Amino acid sequence: MPSKLNFNLTVNGQVHAVCVEPRRTLADVLRDDCRLTGTHLGCEHGVCGACTVLVDDKPVRSCLMFGVQAQGQAIRTVEGLADGDTLHPLQRAFWENHGLQCGFCTPGFLMLAAGALQEDPEMSDDEIKEVLSSNLCRCTGYQNIVKAVRLAARELRMKPRG
């Protein structure tokens, strides 16, 4: 097996040509090779969810996926959530409801919630809590995170789907 592989990753709609060792995780490739440092690394065992990104619109722990496995798929990171200077409803709701805390876990929560709300914008409070229970916040600010996701869900439900 070659020591490094050349391939393209499509991240937030942009193609990134990378040359990395096959054993490199998607999180490391995003951070080190694509220079997208919004994806955080916490436990590096898939437990905390700080590294959550969307791969073909599904939340994925990027510390558990090899970068090479993501070629040919659409990757969305927290850097791709806003529309230019306009915050995504989730980002705005986190800000307005103090869901940011220290900010370390925030990118993972945002991408987890974005994927979940994209799949089911009609989630109930219990379903939102169940989805968010898969990520960890060391600041234990779960109530504000749940409140922010609930408000963003309400806003997203009112938007026409495209």
Side-chain angles (χ1 to χ4, degrees), residues 4-102:
K4 289 191 173 186
L5 298 174
N6 292 301
F7 57 93
N8 293 327
L9 289 179
T10 304
V11 186
N12 302 325
Q14 294 189 334
V15 176
H16 294 261
V18 296
C19 180
V20 300
E21 295 175 15
R23 65 180 178 84
R24 300 269 317 278
T25 67
L26 177 58
D28 287 336
V29 174
L30 290 170
R31 290 182 57 82
D32 299 339
D33 300 283
C34 299
R35 300 289 188 216
L36 296 169
T37 57
T39 301
H40 291 171
L41 279 168
C43 67
E44 299 188 56
H45 296 283
V47 176
C48 73
C51 66
T52 303
V53 299
L54 299 182
V55 176
D56 284 344
D57 295 327
K58 302 287 183 202
V60 169
R61 309 281 206 222
S62 63
C63 73
L64 296 180
M65 182 177 196
F66 293 118
V68 68
Q69 291 176 298
Q71 65 181 318
Q73 300 180 70
I75 303 163
R76 191 170 180 198
T77 67
V78 72
E79 289 93 342
L81 205 52
D83 183 12
D85 291 337
T86 304
L87 294 178
H88 184 279
L90 275 165
Q91 292 171 307
R92 193 172 42 256
F94 268 63
W95 181 5
E96 293 172 353
N97 293 284
H98 308 287
L100 299 170
Q101 324 293 310
C102 78

Side-chain angles (χ1 to χ4, degrees), residues 97-114:
N97 293 284
H98 308 287
L100 299 170
Q101 324 293 310
C102 78
F104 188 82
C105 66
T106 304
F109 272 107
L110 287 170
M111 298 315 294
L112 176 67

Side-chain angles (χ1 to χ4, degrees), residues 105-126:
C105 66
T106 304
F109 272 107
L110 287 170
M111 298 315 294
L112 176 67
L117 291 176
Q118 190 169 308
E119 186 172 314
D120 182 9
E122 304 294 330
M123 285 194 305
S124 68
D125 275 5
D126 287 342

Side-chain angles (χ1 to χ4, degrees), residues 123-149:
M123 285 194 305
S124 68
D125 275 5
D126 287 342
E127 290 169 324
I128 289 171
K129 289 176 186 174
E130 177 65 25
V131 165
L132 296 178
S133 71
S134 66
N135 279 27
L136 299 176
C137 171
R138 292 182 288 186
C139 303
T140 67
Y142 296 102
Q143 288 183 343
N144 289 341
I145 293 171
V146 170
K147 183 177 170 186
V149 172

